[in-house]
Amino acid sequence: MTRVAVDEYPAAVPKGAAASGLWRLGMILQILTGLALIAAAPPASPKAAKAKARRPAATASPLPVLQPSPDALRVADWIATSRDNHALPYAVIDKRDASLILFDAKGKMLAHVPVLLGIAPGDDATPGVGSKKLGEIGPAEKTTPAGRFLAKFGYAFGRQRVLWVDYTNSVAIHPIPGDAARAEKRRARMLSPEPDDNRITFGCINVPNAFYTTDLRPLFQKKGGYVYVLPDTKAIEEVFPRLRVHALTAGRDAA
């Protein structure tokens, strides 16, 4: 059953002719009283009206402003130059910065958003972790593996559609689950300016809901795309060996 906000329920009306007449009379008296109070209230001063006009409307907490790290820019440059994405959209996830940069198939940067990651540092998934139930996964096994992945949409438990990054190890990109958002304060963690508290998941990558719906899903839902997850413990060249070749080529071209 869908939960509805309290102010969406209609007011209860008493049954019966007599009760209905009294209810209408009470409502008329309330309206007249309200009109009298409004008429009696002193007019607002021009200064107060001006201050009220300047007051900004309440808005949702904005996402933190992010700057791509040198490693993320280096990987993005290699992908665009070598066309390693094979004409598909791609995302670069920087685990140390807890952020995701989204690119279209031509290498144009579309968005840069914070993400939530596996609680344990590490760049390799524990063998067999994908076949375990959540309650069976130990703290050290809750890692987000690093590497290059061909990501496609598919179904997870409960027929929830997610973007599978590493299907074998049950690593996907999806918005924050509702129950985890409340119990683990995941939205507050995502909005914080520091990346340290963004380590909270079992290994999946949580992204802002608006970004997932508006940017990521339309871009990846037809043919999928590539996801490049930067390491947090290994050397970046160990995870992406072709970066060495790219660096040598770039140095030769500059000379």
Side-chain angles (χ1 to χ4, degrees):
M1 178 180 176
T2 304
R3 182 169 293 180
V4 184
V6 174
D7 57 4
E8 291 182 61
Y9 285 111
V13 180
K15 296 180 181 179
S20 180
L22 290 173
W23 178 78
R24 289 194 183 93
L25 179 60
M27 291 298 295
I28 292 170
L29 290 174
Q30 288 184 35
I31 293 169
L32 291 175
T33 303
L35 291 173
L37 289 172
I38 293 171
S45 66
K47 187 179 286 186
K50 212 170 188 181
K52 187 175 181 181
R54 283 200 306 265
R55 191 176 300 131
T59 56
S61 300
L63 295 174
V65 178
L66 303 171
Q67 293 293 332
S69 69
D71 281 344
L73 291 175
R74 184 182 171 196
V75 170
D77 180 60
W78 156 61
I79 298 166
T81 304
S82 65
R83 298 178 183 175
D84 187 75
N85 58 309
H86 298 293
L88 290 174
Y90 58 97
V92 176
I93 296 176
D94 190 335
K95 290 201 288 179
R96 292 177 182 173
D97 272 5
S99 68
L100 180 153
I101 311 174
L102 182 67
F103 298 86
D104 67 10
K106 295 182 179 179
K108 179 184 177 182
M109 179 178 167
L110 302 177
H112 190 189
V113 296
V115 297
L116 301 180
L117 301 160
I119 194 169
D123 297 315
D124 296 304
T126 303
V129 69
S131 60
K132 291 184 177 182
K133 296 179 180 178
L134 291 181
E136 298 173 344
I137 300 175
E141 296 178 306
K142 298 176 183 179
T143 59
T144 301
R148 174 183 181 269
F149 304 93
L150 179 57
K152 292 187 177 182
F153 273 96
Y155 288 98
F157 180 78
R159 303 298 293 170
Q160 179 191 7
R161 193 167 170 79
V162 298
L163 180 60
W164 284 112
V165 175
D166 185 355
Y167 184 82
T168 303
N169 294 305
S170 297
V171 177
I173 296 178
H174 57 78
I176 299 172
D179 52 347
R182 291 186 295 271
E184 299 171 345
K185 300 181 180 178
R186 291 198 182 188
R187 288 193 179 91
R189 290 172 179 270
M190 184 176 283
L191 293 172
S192 72
E194 300 299 326
D196 295 343
D197 60 354
N198 291 45
R199 298 298 187 103
I200 190 62
T201 76
F202 280 76
C204 283
I205 299 111
N206 290 175
V207 296
N209 185 64
F211 163 77
Y212 184 83
T213 304
T214 306
D215 299 302
L216 185 67
R217 188 166 61 194
L219 204 61
F220 277 69
Q221 67 182 355
K222 189 174 182 180
K223 295 183 179 179
Y226 284 93
V227 174
Y228 300 81
V229 183
L230 275 60
D232 53 11
T233 56
K234 292 182 177 180
I236 193 168
E237 291 85 0
E238 186 180 350
V239 177
F240 306 111
R242 279 179 279 182
L243 277 176
R244 293 191 181 94
V245 178
H246 177 66
L248 290 172
T249 304
R252 190 165 53 245
D253 292 342

